[in-house]
Coordinates of all heavy atoms in Angstrom, one line a residue:
M1 N 44.5 46.3 -62.0 CA 45.5 45.2 -61.9 C 45.2 44.5 -60.6 O 45.3 43.2 -60.6 CB 46.9 45.9 -61.9 CG 48.0 44.9 -61.6 SD 49.4 45.8 -61.5 CE 50.6 44.5 -60.9
F2 N 44.8 45.1 -59.6 CA 44.5 44.4 -58.3 C 43.1 44.0 -58.2 O 42.7 43.5 -57.1 CB 45.0 45.3 -57.1 CG 46.4 45.4 -57.1 CD1 47.0 46.6 -57.3 CD2 47.3 44.4 -56.7 CE1 48.5 46.8 -57.3 CE2 48.6 44.6 -56.8 CZ 49.3 45.7 -57.0
R3 N 42.2 44.3 -59.2 CA 40.8 43.9 -59.0 C 40.6 42.5 -59.6 O 41.1 42.1 -60.5 CB 39.9 44.8 -59.8 CG 39.9 46.2 -59.2 CD 38.8 46.9 -59.8 NE 38.7 48.3 -59.1 CZ 37.7 49.1 -59.5 NH1 36.8 48.9 -60.4 NH2 37.6 50.2 -58.8
P4 N 40.0 41.6 -58.8 CA 39.7 40.3 -59.2 C 38.7 40.3 -60.4 O 37.8 41.1 -60.4 CB 39.1 39.5 -58.1 CG 38.5 40.6 -57.2 CD 39.3 41.8 -57.4
K5 N 39.0 39.4 -61.3 CA 38.0 39.4 -62.4 C 37.0 38.2 -62.0 O 37.3 37.0 -61.8 CB 38.8 38.8 -63.6 CG 39.6 39.9 -64.3 CD 40.3 39.6 -65.5 CE 41.2 40.8 -65.9 NZ 41.8 40.5 -67.3
L6 N 35.7 38.6 -62.0 CA 34.6 37.7 -61.7 C 34.2 37.0 -63.0 O 34.1 37.6 -64.1 CB 33.4 38.5 -61.1 CG 33.8 39.2 -59.8 CD1 32.6 40.1 -59.3 CD2 34.2 38.3 -58.6
P7 N 34.0 35.7 -62.8 CA 33.6 35.0 -64.1 C 32.1 35.4 -64.4 O 31.3 35.7 -63.5 CB 33.7 33.6 -63.6 CG 33.5 33.5 -62.2 CD 34.2 34.8 -61.7
T8 N 31.8 35.3 -65.5 CA 30.4 35.6 -66.1 C 29.5 34.3 -65.9 O 30.0 33.1 -65.9 CB 30.4 35.9 -67.6 OG1 30.9 34.8 -68.3 CG2 31.2 37.2 -67.9
M9 N 28.2 34.6 -65.6 CA 27.3 33.4 -65.3 C 27.1 32.7 -66.6 O 26.7 33.4 -67.7 CB 26.0 33.9 -64.7 CG 26.2 34.4 -63.3 SD 26.7 33.3 -62.1 CE 25.3 32.2 -62.1
P10 N 27.2 31.4 -66.6 CA 26.9 30.7 -68.0 C 25.4 30.9 -68.2 O 24.6 30.7 -67.3 CB 27.5 29.3 -67.5 CG 27.3 29.2 -66.1 CD 27.6 30.6 -65.6
Q11 N 25.1 30.9 -69.5 CA 23.7 30.9 -69.9 C 23.2 29.4 -69.9 O 23.9 28.6 -70.4 CB 23.6 31.5 -71.3 CG 24.0 33.0 -71.3 CD 23.1 33.9 -70.2 OE1 22.0 33.6 -70.2 NE2 23.8 34.7 -69.6
P12 N 21.9 29.3 -69.6 CA 21.4 27.9 -69.6 C 21.3 27.3 -71.2 O 21.0 28.2 -72.0 CB 20.0 28.0 -69.1 CG 19.7 29.4 -69.2 CD 21.0 30.2 -69.2
T13 N 21.7 26.1 -71.3 CA 21.5 25.5 -72.6 C 20.3 24.6 -72.7 O 19.8 24.0 -71.7 CB 22.8 24.8 -73.0 OG1 23.0 23.7 -72.0 CG2 24.0 25.8 -73.1
G14 N 19.7 24.3 -73.8 CA 18.7 23.3 -74.1 C 17.4 24.0 -73.8 O 17.2 25.3 -74.0
L15 N 16.4 23.3 -73.6 CA 14.9 23.8 -73.4 C 14.8 24.4 -72.1 O 15.1 23.8 -71.1 CB 14.0 22.7 -73.7 CG 13.9 22.1 -75.1 CD1 13.1 20.9 -75.2 CD2 13.6 23.1 -76.2
T16 N 14.4 25.7 -72.1 CA 14.1 26.4 -70.9 C 12.7 26.9 -70.9 O 12.1 27.2 -72.0 CB 15.0 27.5 -70.6 OG1 14.9 28.4 -71.7 CG2 16.5 27.0 -70.5
T17 N 12.0 27.0 -69.7 CA 10.7 27.6 -69.7 C 10.8 29.0 -69.1 O 11.6 29.2 -68.2 CB 9.8 26.7 -68.9 OG1 10.4 26.6 -67.5 CG2 9.6 25.3 -69.4
P18 N 10.0 29.9 -69.7 CA 10.1 31.3 -69.0 C 9.6 31.3 -67.6 O 8.7 30.4 -67.3 CB 9.2 32.1 -70.0 CG 8.4 31.1 -70.7 CD 9.2 29.8 -70.7
P19 N 10.0 32.2 -66.8 CA 9.5 32.3 -65.5 C 8.1 32.6 -65.4 O 7.5 33.4 -66.2 CB 10.3 33.3 -64.8 CG 10.9 34.1 -65.8 CD 11.0 33.2 -67.0
A20 N 7.3 32.0 -64.5 CA 5.8 32.2 -64.4 C 5.6 33.6 -63.8 O 6.3 34.1 -62.9 CB 5.3 31.1 -63.6
A21 N 4.6 34.2 -64.3 CA 4.3 35.6 -63.8 C 3.4 35.4 -62.6 O 2.5 34.7 -62.6 CB 3.6 36.4 -64.7
I22 N 3.6 36.2 -61.5 CA 3.0 36.2 -60.2 C 2.0 37.2 -60.2 O 2.4 38.4 -60.4 CB 3.8 36.2 -59.1 CG1 4.8 34.9 -59.1 CG2 3.1 36.1 -57.8 CD1 5.9 35.1 -58.0
Q23 N 0.7 36.9 -60.2 CA -0.3 37.9 -60.3 C -0.6 38.3 -58.8 O -0.8 37.6 -57.8 CB -1.7 37.4 -60.9 CG -1.5 36.9 -62.1 CD -1.2 38.1 -63.1 OE1 -1.6 39.2 -62.8 NE2 -0.5 37.8 -64.2
P24 N -0.7 39.6 -58.5 CA -1.0 40.1 -57.1 C -2.5 39.7 -56.8 O -3.4 39.9 -57.6 CB -0.8 41.6 -57.1 CG -0.9 41.9 -58.5 CD -0.5 40.7 -59.4
A25 N -2.7 39.4 -55.5 CA -3.9 39.1 -55.1 C -4.7 40.4 -54.7 O -4.2 41.4 -54.2 CB -4.0 38.2 -53.8
A26 N -6.0 40.4 -55.0 CA -6.8 41.6 -54.7 C -7.3 41.6 -53.4 O -7.9 40.5 -52.9 CB -8.0 41.7 -55.7
L27 N -7.1 42.7 -52.6 CA -7.6 42.8 -51.2 C -8.7 43.7 -51.2 O -8.7 44.9 -51.9 CB -6.5 43.2 -50.2 CG -5.4 42.4 -50.0 CD1 -4.3 43.1 -49.2 CD2 -5.8 41.1 -49.4
T28 N -9.8 43.3 -50.6 CA -10.9 44.4 -50.5 C -10.8 45.1 -49.2 O -10.6 44.5 -48.1 CB -12.2 43.5 -50.4 OG1 -12.3 42.6 -49.4 CG2 -12.5 42.8 -51.9
P29 N -11.0 46.3 -49.2 CA -10.9 47.1 -47.9 C -12.0 46.8 -46.9 O -13.0 46.4 -47.3 CB -10.9 48.5 -48.4 CG -11.5 48.5 -49.8 CD -11.3 47.3 -50.3
G30 N -11.7 46.8 -45.7 CA -12.6 46.5 -44.6 C -12.7 45.1 -44.2 O -13.2 44.7 -43.3
T31 N -11.9 44.2 -44.9 CA -11.9 42.8 -44.5 C -10.7 42.6 -43.6 O -9.6 42.8 -43.9 CB -11.7 41.9 -45.7 OG1 -12.7 42.2 -46.7 CG2 -11.8 40.5 -45.3
P32 N -11.0 42.2 -42.4 CA -10.0 42.1 -41.4 C -9.1 40.8 -41.8 O -9.6 39.8 -42.1 CB -10.7 41.8 -40.0 CG -12.1 41.2 -40.4 CD -12.3 41.9 -41.7
I33 N -7.8 41.0 -41.6 CA -6.9 39.8 -41.9 C -6.7 39.1 -40.6 O -6.2 39.9 -39.6 CB -5.5 40.4 -42.5 CG1 -5.9 41.1 -43.8 CG2 -4.6 39.2 -42.7 CD1 -4.7 41.7 -44.6
L34 N -7.0 38.0 -40.5 CA -6.8 37.1 -39.3 C -5.3 36.8 -39.0 O -4.6 36.4 -40.1 CB -7.7 35.9 -39.3 CG -9.1 36.2 -39.4 CD1 -10.0 34.8 -39.5 CD2 -9.6 36.9 -38.1
P35 N -4.8 36.9 -37.9 CA -3.5 36.5 -37.6 C -3.3 34.9 -37.8 O -4.3 34.2 -37.5 CB -3.1 36.9 -36.2 CG -4.4 37.1 -35.5 CD -5.4 37.4 -36.6
P36 N -2.3 34.4 -38.1 CA -2.1 33.1 -38.3 C -2.2 32.3 -37.0 O -1.7 32.8 -35.9 CB -0.7 32.8 -38.9 CG 0.1 34.1 -38.6 CD -1.0 35.2 -38.6
T37 N -2.9 31.2 -36.9 CA -3.1 30.5 -35.7 C -1.9 29.5 -35.5 O -1.2 29.2 -36.5 CB -4.4 29.7 -35.7 OG1 -4.2 28.8 -36.9 CG2 -5.5 30.6 -35.9
A38 N -1.6 29.2 -34.2 CA -0.5 28.4 -34.0 C -0.8 27.0 -34.4 O -1.8 26.4 -34.0 CB -0.3 28.3 -32.4
V39 N 0.0 26.4 -35.3 CA -0.2 25.1 -35.9 C 0.9 24.2 -35.2 O 2.1 24.6 -35.2 CB 0.0 25.2 -37.4 CG1 -0.2 23.7 -37.9 CG2 -1.1 26.1 -38.1
A40 N 0.4 23.0 -34.7 CA 1.4 22.2 -34.1 C 2.3 21.5 -35.3 O 1.6 20.9 -36.1 CB 0.7 21.1 -33.3
H41 N 3.5 21.7 -35.2 CA 4.3 21.2 -36.3 C 4.7 19.8 -35.9 O 4.9 19.4 -34.8 CB 5.7 22.1 -36.4 CG 5.4 23.5 -36.9 ND1 5.0 23.7 -38.2 CD2 5.4 24.7 -36.3 CE1 4.9 25.0 -38.4 NE2 5.1 25.6 -37.2
A42 N 4.9 18.9 -36.9 CA 5.3 17.6 -36.8 C 6.7 17.7 -36.4 O 7.5 18.5 -36.9 CB 5.1 16.8 -38.1
P43 N 7.1 16.7 -35.5 CA 8.6 16.7 -35.0 C 9.5 16.4 -36.2 O 9.1 15.7 -37.2 CB 8.6 15.6 -34.1 CG 7.5 14.8 -34.3 CD 6.4 15.7 -34.9
S44 N 10.5 17.0 -36.2 CA 11.5 16.9 -37.4 C 12.1 15.4 -37.4 O 12.4 15.0 -38.5 CB 12.6 17.8 -37.3 OG 13.4 17.6 -36.2
R45 N 12.1 14.8 -36.3 CA 12.7 13.4 -36.4 C 11.5 12.4 -36.0 O 10.6 12.8 -35.1 CB 13.8 13.3 -35.3 CG 15.1 13.9 -35.7 CD 16.2 13.4 -34.8 NE 16.2 14.4 -33.7 CZ 17.0 14.3 -32.6 NH1 17.7 13.3 -32.5 NH2 17.0 15.3 -31.7
P46 N 11.5 11.3 -36.6 CA 10.4 10.4 -36.2 C 10.6 9.8 -34.8 O 11.6 9.7 -34.4 CB 10.5 9.2 -37.2 CG 11.9 9.3 -37.7 CD 12.3 10.7 -37.6
V47 N 9.5 9.6 -34.1 CA 9.6 9.1 -32.8 C 9.9 7.6 -32.8 O 9.4 6.8 -33.6 CB 8.2 9.2 -32.0 CG1 8.2 8.8 -30.7 CG2 7.8 10.8 -32.0
V48 N 11.0 7.2 -32.0 CA 11.3 5.9 -32.0 C 10.5 5.2 -30.8 O 10.5 5.6 -29.7 CB 12.8 5.7 -31.7 CG1 13.2 4.2 -31.5 CG2 13.7 6.4 -32.8
Q49 N 9.8 4.1 -31.2 CA 9.0 3.4 -30.3 C 9.7 2.1 -29.9 O 10.0 1.3 -30.8 CB 7.5 3.0 -30.8 CG 6.8 4.4 -31.1 CD 5.5 4.1 -31.6 OE1 5.2 3.0 -32.0 NE2 4.6 5.2 -31.8
L50 N 9.9 1.9 -28.6 CA 10.7 0.7 -28.2 C 9.5 -0.4 -27.9 O 8.7 -0.2 -27.0 CB 11.6 1.0 -27.0 CG 12.8 1.8 -27.2 CD1 13.5 2.0 -25.9 CD2 13.6 1.1 -28.2
T51 N 9.6 -1.5 -28.7 CA 8.8 -2.6 -28.3 C 9.7 -3.5 -27.4 O 10.9 -3.3 -27.2 CB 8.4 -3.3 -29.5 OG1 9.6 -3.8 -30.2 CG2 7.8 -2.5 -30.5
P52 N 9.1 -4.5 -26.7 CA 9.9 -5.4 -26.0 C 10.9 -6.2 -26.7 O 12.0 -6.4 -26.1 CB 8.8 -6.5 -25.3 CG 7.5 -5.6 -25.4 CD 7.6 -4.7 -26.6
G53 N 10.6 -6.5 -27.9 CA 11.6 -7.2 -28.7 C 12.9 -6.3 -29.1 O 14.1 -6.7 -28.9
T54 N 12.7 -5.0 -29.4 CA 13.8 -4.1 -29.5 C 14.5 -3.8 -28.3 O 15.7 -3.6 -28.3 CB 13.3 -2.9 -30.3 OG1 12.3 -2.2 -29.5 CG2 12.8 -3.1 -31.7
A55 N 13.7 -3.6 -27.3 CA 14.4 -3.3 -25.9 C 15.3 -4.5 -25.5 O 16.4 -4.3 -25.1 CB 13.4 -3.0 -24.9
L56 N 14.8 -5.7 -25.7 CA 15.6 -6.8 -25.4 C 16.9 -7.0 -26.4 O 17.9 -7.4 -25.9 CB 14.8 -8.1 -25.6 CG 15.4 -9.6 -25.1 CD1 15.7 -9.5 -23.6 CD2 14.5 -10.6 -25.4
A57 N 16.7 -6.5 -27.5 CA 17.8 -6.6 -28.5 C 19.0 -5.5 -28.1 O 20.0 -5.9 -28.2 CB 17.3 -6.4 -30.1
L58 N 18.4 -4.4 -27.7 CA 19.3 -3.4 -27.3 C 20.1 -3.8 -26.0 O 21.3 -3.7 -25.9 CB 18.6 -2.2 -27.0 CG 18.1 -1.3 -28.2 CD1 17.3 -0.1 -27.7 CD2 19.3 -0.9 -29.0
V59 N 19.4 -4.4 -25.0 CA 20.0 -4.9 -23.9 C 21.0 -6.0 -24.1 O 22.2 -5.9 -23.7 CB 19.0 -5.3 -22.8 CG1 19.6 -6.1 -21.7 CG2 18.1 -4.2 -22.3
G60 N 20.6 -6.8 -25.1 CA 21.6 -8.1 -25.5 C 22.7 -7.6 -26.2 O 23.9 -7.9 -26.0
G61 N 22.6 -6.6 -27.0 CA 23.7 -5.9 -27.8 C 24.6 -5.2 -26.9 O 25.8 -5.3 -27.0
G62 N 24.0 -4.4 -25.9 CA 24.9 -3.7 -24.9 C 25.7 -4.6 -24.1 O 26.9 -4.3 -23.9
T63 N 25.0 -5.7 -23.7 CA 25.8 -6.7 -22.9 C 26.9 -7.4 -23.7 O 27.9 -7.6 -23.2 CB 24.8 -7.7 -22.4 OG1 23.7 -7.1 -21.8 CG2 25.4 -8.8 -21.5
A64 N 26.7 -7.6 -24.9 CA 27.7 -8.2 -25.7 C 28.9 -7.4 -25.9 O 30.1 -7.7 -25.8 CB 27.1 -8.7 -27.1
V65 N 28.6 -6.0 -26.1 CA 29.7 -5.1 -26.3 C 30.4 -4.9 -25.0 O 31.7 -5.0 -25.1 CB 29.1 -3.8 -26.7 CG1 30.1 -2.6 -26.6 CG2 28.7 -3.8 -28.1
V66 N 29.8 -4.9 -24.0 CA 30.5 -4.7 -22.5 C 31.4 -6.0 -22.3 O 32.5 -6.0 -21.9 CB 29.5 -4.6 -21.4 CG1 30.2 -4.8 -20.0 CG2 28.9 -3.2 -21.4
L67 N 30.9 -7.3 -22.7 CA 31.6 -8.5 -22.5 C 32.8 -8.6 -23.5 O 34.0 -8.8 -23.1 CB 30.7 -9.8 -22.6 CG 29.7 -9.9 -21.5 CD1 28.8 -11.2 -21.9 CD2 30.4 -10.1 -20.2
V68 N 32.6 -8.1 -24.6 CA 33.7 -8.2 -25.6 C 34.9 -7.1 -25.1 O 36.1 -7.5 -25.1 CB 33.3 -7.9 -27.0 CG1 34.3 -7.6 -27.9 CG2 32.4 -9.1 -27.5
V69 N 34.4 -5.9 -24.8 CA 35.4 -4.9 -24.4 C 36.2 -5.3 -23.1 O 37.3 -5.2 -22.9 CB 34.8 -3.6 -24.3 CG1 35.7 -2.6 -23.5 CG2 34.4 -3.0 -25.6
G70 N 35.3 -6.0 -22.2 CA 36.0 -6.4 -21.0 C 37.0 -7.5 -21.2 O 38.0 -7.6 -20.6
A71 N 36.6 -8.5 -22.1 CA 37.6 -9.6 -22.5 C 38.9 -9.0 -23.1 O 39.9 -9.5 -22.8 CB 36.9 -10.6 -23.3
V72 N 38.7 -8.1 -23.9 CA 39.9 -7.4 -24.6 C 40.8 -6.7 -23.5 O 42.0 -7.0 -23.5 CB 39.5 -6.4 -25.7 CG1 40.7 -5.6 -26.1 CG2 38.8 -7.3 -26.9
L73 N 40.2 -6.0 -22.6 CA 41.0 -5.3 -21.6 C 41.6 -6.2 -20.7 O 42.9 -6.0 -20.3 CB 40.1 -4.3 -20.8 CG 39.6 -3.1 -21.7 CD1 38.7 -2.2 -20.9 CD2 40.7 -2.3 -22.2
V74 N 41.0 -7.3 -20.2 CA 41.5 -8.3 -19.4 C 42.7 -9.0 -20.0 O 43.7 -9.2 -19.4 CB 40.4 -9.3 -18.8 CG1 41.1 -10.5 -18.2 CG2 39.5 -8.6 -18.0
S75 N 42.5 -9.3 -21.4 CA 43.6 -10.1 -22.0 C 44.9 -9.1 -22.1 O 46.0 -9.6 -22.1 CB 43.1 -10.5 -23.4 OG 42.8 -9.4 -24.1
L76 N 44.5 -7.8 -22.6 CA 45.7 -7.0 -22.5 C 46.4 -6.7 -21.1 O 47.7 -6.7 -21.1 CB 45.2 -5.4 -22.9 CG 44.8 -5.3 -24.4 CD1 44.3 -4.0 -24.7 CD2 46.1 -5.5 -25.3
L77 N 45.6 -6.7 -20.1 CA 46.2 -6.6 -18.7 C 47.1 -8.0 -18.4 O 48.1 -7.8 -17.8 CB 45.1 -6.5 -17.7 CG 45.7 -6.3 -16.4 CD1 46.5 -5.1 -16.2 CD2 44.4 -6.2 -15.3
L78 N 46.4 -9.0 -18.9 CA 47.3 -10.3 -18.6 C 48.5 -10.4 -19.4 O 49.5 -10.8 -19.0 CB 46.3 -11.5 -19.0 CG 46.7 -12.9 -18.7 CD1 47.0 -13.0 -17.2 CD2 45.8 -13.9 -19.2
A79 N 48.5 -9.8 -20.7 CA 49.6 -9.9 -21.5 C 50.7 -8.9 -20.8 O 51.9 -9.2 -20.8 CB 49.2 -9.4 -22.8
V80 N 50.3 -7.8 -20.3 CA 51.3 -7.0 -19.7 C 51.8 -7.6 -18.4 O 53.0 -7.5 -18.2 CB 50.7 -5.6 -19.3 CG1 51.5 -4.8 -18.4 CG2 50.3 -4.8 -20.6
A81 N 51.0 -8.3 -17.7 CA 51.5 -8.9 -16.4 C 52.4 -10.1 -16.8 O 53.5 -10.2 -16.2 CB 50.3 -9.4 -15.7
I82 N 52.1 -10.9 -17.8 CA 53.0 -11.9 -18.2 C 54.4 -11.3 -18.7 O 55.4 -12.0 -18.4 CB 52.4 -12.9 -19.2 CG1 51.2 -13.6 -18.6 CG2 53.3 -13.8 -19.9 CD1 50.4 -14.4 -19.6
T83 N 54.3 -10.3 -19.4 CA 55.6 -9.8 -20.0 C 56.4 -9.2 -18.8 O 57.6 -9.4 -18.8 CB 55.2 -8.6 -20.9 OG1 54.4 -9.0 -22.0 CG2 56.4 -7.9 -21.5
G84 N 55.8 -8.5 -17.8 CA 56.5 -8.0 -16.6 C 57.1 -9.2 -15.8 O 58.2 -9.0 -15.4
A85 N 56.4 -10.3 -15.7 CA 56.9 -11.5 -15.0 C 58.1 -12.0 -15.8 O 59.2 -12.4 -15.1 CB 55.8 -12.4 -14.7
S86 N 58.0 -12.2 -17.0 CA 59.1 -12.8 -17.8 C 60.4 -11.9 -17.8 O 61.5 -12.4 -17.7 CB 58.7 -13.0 -19.2 OG 58.4 -11.8 -19.8
V87 N 60.1 -10.6 -17.8 CA 61.3 -9.6 -17.8 C 62.0 -9.8 -16.4 O 63.2 -9.7 -16.2 CB 60.8 -8.2 -18.0 CG1 61.9 -7.2 -17.7 CG2 60.5 -8.2 -19.5
A88 N 61.2 -9.9 -15.2 CA 61.7 -10.1 -13.9 C 62.4 -11.4 -13.8 O 63.5 -11.3 -13.1 CB 60.5 -10.0 -12.9
V89 N 62.0 -12.3 -14.3 CA 62.7 -13.6 -14.3 C 64.0 -13.6 -15.1 O 65.0 -14.0 -14.5 CB 61.8 -14.8 -14.9 CG1 62.6 -16.1 -15.0 CG2 60.7 -15.1 -13.9
C90 N 63.9 -13.0 -16.3 CA 65.2 -12.7 -17.0 C 66.2 -11.8 -16.2 O 67.4 -12.1 -16.2 CB 65.0 -12.1 -18.3 SG 64.1 -13.2 -19.5
A91 N 65.7 -10.8 -15.5 CA 66.7 -10.0 -14.7 C 67.2 -10.8 -13.6 O 68.4 -10.7 -13.3 CB 65.9 -8.8 -14.1
V92 N 66.5 -11.7 -12.8 CA 67.0 -12.4 -11.7 C 68.1 -13.4 -12.3 O 69.1 -13.6 -11.8 CB 65.9 -13.2 -11.1 CG1 66.4 -14.3 -10.1 CG2 65.0 -12.2 -10.3
V93 N 67.7 -14.0 -13.5 CA 68.7 -15.1 -14.0 C 70.0 -14.3 -14.4 O 71.2 -14.8 -14.2 CB 68.1 -15.8 -15.2 CG1 69.1 -16.5 -16.0 CG2 66.9 -16.7 -14.8
L94 N 69.9 -13.2 -15.1 CA 71.1 -12.4 -15.4 C 71.9 -12.0 -14.2 O 73.1 -11.9 -14.2 CB 70.8 -11.2 -16.3 CG 70.3 -11.6 -17.7 CD1 70.0 -10.3 -18.5 CD2 71.6 -12.1 -18.5
R95 N 71.2 -11.5 -13.2 CA 71.9 -11.1 -12.0 C 72.5 -12.2 -11.3 O 73.8 -12.1 -10.9 CB 70.9 -10.5 -11.0 CG 71.5 -10.0 -9.8 CD 70.3 -9.4 -8.9 NE 70.9 -9.0 -7.7 CZ 70.3 -8.6 -6.6 NH1 68.9 -8.6 -6.8 NH2 70.7 -8.2 -5.6
S96 N 72.0 -13.3 -11.3 CA 72.7 -14.6 -10.7 C 73.9 -15.0 -11.5 O 75.0 -15.4 -11.0 CB 71.7 -15.7 -10.5 OG 71.3 -16.2 -11.7
L97 N 73.8 -15.0 -12.8 CA 74.8 -15.3 -13.7 C 76.0 -14.3 -13.5 O 77.3 -14.7 -13.5 CB 74.4 -15.3 -15.2 CG 73.6 -16.5 -15.6 CD1 73.1 -16.4 -17.0 CD2 74.4 -17.8 -15.4
L98 N 75.7 -13.1 -13.5 CA 76.8 -12.0 -13.3 C 77.4 -12.2 -11.9 O 78.6 -12.0 -11.7 CB 76.2 -10.7 -13.5 CG 75.8 -10.3 -14.9 CD1 75.2 -8.9 -15.0 CD2 77.0 -10.4 -15.9
A99 N 76.7 -12.4 -10.9 CA 77.1 -12.6 -9.5 C 78.1 -13.8 -9.5 O 79.1 -13.8 -8.8 CB 75.9 -12.7 -8.4
S100 N 77.6 -14.9 -10.1 CA 78.5 -16.1 -10.0 C 79.7 -16.0 -10.8 O 80.8 -16.5 -10.4 CB 77.7 -17.4 -10.4 OG 77.4 -17.2 -11.8
D101 N 79.7 -15.2 -11.8 CA 80.9 -14.9 -12.6 C 81.9 -14.0 -11.9 O 83.1 -14.2 -11.9 CB 80.5 -14.2 -13.9 CG 81.7 -14.1 -15.0 OD1 82.6 -15.0 -15.0 OD2 81.6 -13.1 -15.7
A102 N 81.5 -13.1 -11.1 CA 82.2 -12.2 -10.3 C 82.8 -13.0 -9.2 O 83.9 -12.7 -8.7 CB 81.3 -11.0 -9.7
K103 N 82.2 -14.1 -8.5 CA 82.8 -14.8 -7.5 C 83.9 -15.6 -8.0 O 84.8 -16.1 -7.2 CB 81.7 -15.7 -6.9 CG 80.7 -14.9 -6.0 CD 79.8 -15.9 -5.4 CE 78.7 -15.1 -4.6 NZ 77.7 -16.0 -4.0
R104 N 83.9 -16.2 -9.2 CA 84.9 -17.0 -9.7 C 86.3 -16.3 -9.8 O 87.2 -16.9 -9.9 CB 84.6 -17.6 -11.1 CG 83.5 -18.7 -11.0 CD 83.2 -19.3 -12.2 NE 81.9 -20.0 -12.1 CZ 81.2 -20.3 -13.2 NH1 81.7 -20.0 -14.4 NH2 80.0 -21.0 -13.1
R105 N 86.2 -15.0 -10.1 CA 87.4 -14.2 -10.4 C 88.3 -14.0 -9.1 O 88.5 -14.1 -8.2 CB 87.1 -12.9 -11.0 CG 86.7 -13.1 -12.4 CD 86.5 -11.7 -12.9 NE 86.0 -11.8 -14.3 CZ 85.9 -10.9 -15.1 NH1 86.1 -9.6 -14.7 NH2 85.5 -11.1 -16.3

């Protein structure tokens, strides 16, 4: 009841080829087996070569990104400053209106 039921492996359909038989290699006694030599493996990633054109493109792209991000941040800071100044002006106007209303009574 508590044992899980494992699904059966589906049988392949269509044309199948039988597995190839592997023949063991014959070893002659007395022949020394040489240890494998160290083989320099190729790097897994290709080496990126920077030409003057690609270096200039990278510098130009980086400069453009810095300028765009800087412009966005400056504009956000300017928007916050303008909003703060307008709220301060509104507060001064409301204060003066309320103070003049209190003097009339």
Side-chain angles (χ1 to χ4, degrees):
M1 179 176 167
F2 292 110
R3 289 189 174 190
K5 292 187 178 184
L6 299 175
T8 58
M9 293 295 292
Q11 296 299 321
T13 59
L15 298 175
T16 60
T17 57
I22 299 174
Q23 298 296 328
L27 294 176
T28 57
T31 307
I33 299 174
L34 299 174
T37 59
V39 178
H41 294 288
S44 59
R45 287 189 270 171
V47 178
V48 177
Q49 295 180 354
L50 290 178
T51 61
T54 57
L56 187 62
L58 285 174
V59 169
T63 304
V65 167
V66 167
L67 288 177
V68 167
V69 170
V72 168
L73 291 178
V74 167
S75 64
L76 287 173
L77 182 63
L78 187 61
V80 169
I82 289 172
T83 304
S86 65
V87 167
V89 168
C90 288
V92 168
V93 168
L94 284 175
R95 184 178 175 189
S96 68
L97 286 175
L98 291 174
S100 67
D101 189 36
K103 286 183 182 178
R104 286 186 199 158
R105 289 183 179 184

